[in-house]
Amino acid sequence: MPPKKKDAKKKKKTDQTPDDSTEKLWKTYKKLCNDMQIPIFKPLEQKFDVIREEGGYLREVHVGEEIGSTAVRAVADALRMENYGGIESLRLWRAGAEDEGMRAVAQLLASNNSIRVLEFMDNRITPLGCELLSSSLPKCQSLAFLRLDHNEFGAEGVRQLAVGLSMNSTLRVLSLAYCNIGPEGGQPLTEILIYYQSKLKELNLQGNHLSSAGVVSVLMACRRTKSLSKLSLADNQFGEEPEVLEQLTFLFANKSNLNCYDLRFNAICDVGGRCILDSIKTQKHVHQVLLTERMTKELYTEIASICRSNKPGGKKKKKGKKGKKKK
């Protein structure tokens, strides 16, 4: 009897049909590279070799060097043509994708529901690229993380993104750092933030030049957010303007879901520091307020200390003395 059971198990394993979707993807990608007369991206070829030996799926494509828009298109088109459902992450850093590369990725997103992470850092994307991406977002129900840092598309690019993001309920993290967004970007950013079904938890706007006008627009929009817990306005050319401090004070007092603020590299000195300190003293939900040491050391240290104690597990409970054992 035992040998028969072993044979049955062996037969069951042999009967399983291997998934050849990754091998088909490789062949399509190779053909596209040949048709486009471009070299195969070696790190990607090595990934396919590993999968061929060990099994599994192509879960991520990460590019950290200049390959050009045509090479990006070859990857995106192959994934789209094969309707490949294994891919979860596309990270293109300084790949030289430009708007044409974004066009191919946008077409992929429109037909794919497995990609959760898209990073398009420093790829010379213009407002046109933002428009192309935006048009695909309503059709992509899986994207949770979007990073477009170091693409100088400005307020017009954000305006185009807002068309697709102002009614998006899947995105959890949006990073638009160093994108040359001026005060005019405050309005489209507001449209993204106030959508009633938004699930956005983190917004990174570091390194732009929103100034006080744009920052006030963003802070006012944060009043209406339900899920935002982390906001970065670092290095945005604002300071201790009364309207900025008024909005911050309101959020500290009323938005219990918004726990972390990054306000570094702005002109917040003693006046702003004292206002922030007075506002957060009794607000246990404020876990982090990052500032630059433009204020007195005592003030800076006290703000940091309060935030530290507000963090879950921030204060260590003193151990009580052990009672004497009863005889």
Side-chain angles (χ1 to χ4, degrees), residues 48-327:
F48 277 110
D49 288 342
V50 171
I51 292 169
R52 200 173 288 115
E53 289 176 17
E54 300 177 2
Y57 294 91
L58 181 69
R59 298 293 185 193
E60 54 190 37
V61 174
H62 294 177
V63 179
E65 61 189 83
E66 182 91 16
I67 61 173
S69 59
T70 308
V72 171
R73 186 156 62 89
V75 174
D77 284 358
L79 288 165
R80 178 176 54 81
M81 290 164 68
E82 287 301 324
N83 195 23
Y84 191 74
I87 191 73
E88 295 175 354
S89 172
L90 281 177
R91 288 188 169 101
L92 305 175
W93 299 355
R94 301 182 185 89
E98 300 182 333
D99 291 340
E100 284 309 305
M102 180 61 88
R103 186 189 300 277
V105 170
Q107 290 171 346
L108 168 63
L109 286 175
S111 62
N112 180 286
N113 271 314
S114 65
I115 296 174
R116 292 181 48 77
V117 176
L118 177 62
E119 296 190 7
F120 241 69
M121 289 176 60
D122 198 3
N123 274 287
R124 303 189 287 275
I125 302 304
T126 73
L128 173 60
C130 294
E131 181 183 1
L132 294 167
L133 173 61
S134 183
S135 66
S136 71
L137 293 175
K139 299 169 188 172
C140 181
Q141 297 301 307
S142 59
L143 194 65
F145 186 107
L146 177 60
R147 174 172 287 163
L148 299 173
D149 301 353
H150 297 279
N151 293 289
E152 297 193 356
F153 44 69
E156 181 55 34
V158 182
R159 206 170 280 119
Q160 297 297 339
L161 287 171
V163 175
L165 289 176
S166 60
M167 294 185 69
N168 181 282
S169 60
T170 64
L171 205 64
R172 301 296 189 272
V173 179
L174 175 62
S175 186
L176 304 174
Y178 300 96
C179 290
N180 195 31
I181 305 168
E184 315 81 34
Q187 182 55 40
L189 286 168
T190 295
E191 292 170 15
I192 294 170
L193 284 166
I194 65 174
Y195 179 48
Y196 77 105
Q197 287 187 334
S198 172
K199 299 294 189 299
L200 195 66
K201 286 184 171 294
E202 296 182 24
L203 176 61
N204 180 12
L205 297 170
Q206 179 171 345
N208 292 292
H209 49 97
L210 286 167
S211 75
S212 60
V215 165
V216 167
S217 294
V218 170
L219 294 176
M220 288 184 72
C222 288
R223 292 182 175 210
R224 295 171 62 180
T225 60
K226 296 177 182 177
S227 56
L228 194 71
S229 61
K230 188 173 183 180
L231 173 67
S232 175
L233 292 168
D235 194 11
N236 260 283
Q237 300 180 16
F238 67 94
E240 301 174 322
E241 295 85 356
E243 59 271 26
V244 171
L245 296 179
E246 181 187 346
Q247 295 304 322
L248 283 171
T249 301
F250 180 90
L251 293 177
F252 291 146
N254 296 283
K255 292 303 290 183
S256 58
N257 56 290
L258 188 45
N259 313 121
C260 303
Y261 301 76
D262 188 350
L263 307 174
R264 295 172 300 161
F265 316 122
N266 293 297
I268 298 177
C269 305
D270 285 357
V271 172
R274 176 56 59 186
C275 178
I276 289 170
L277 177 62
D278 291 342
S279 301
I280 67 172
K281 273 181 177 176
T282 58
Q283 306 303 331
K284 298 297 181 185
H285 63 272
V286 180
H287 300 161
Q288 187 179 62
V289 181
L290 297 177
L291 297 160
T292 305
E293 291 188 61
R294 292 191 175 197
M295 59 196 70
T296 62
K297 188 176 181 182
E298 293 75 18
L299 194 53
Y300 178 86
T301 304
E302 195 171 352
I303 291 170
S305 176
I306 288 173
C307 291
R308 204 161 40 242
S309 67
N310 284 348
K311 280 185 180 178
K315 275 187 178 178
K316 290 183 180 178
K317 291 183 180 178
K318 291 181 181 178
K319 291 181 180 178
K321 290 181 181 179
K322 290 181 179 178
K324 290 181 181 179
K325 290 181 179 177
K326 290 182 181 180
K327 289 181 180 179

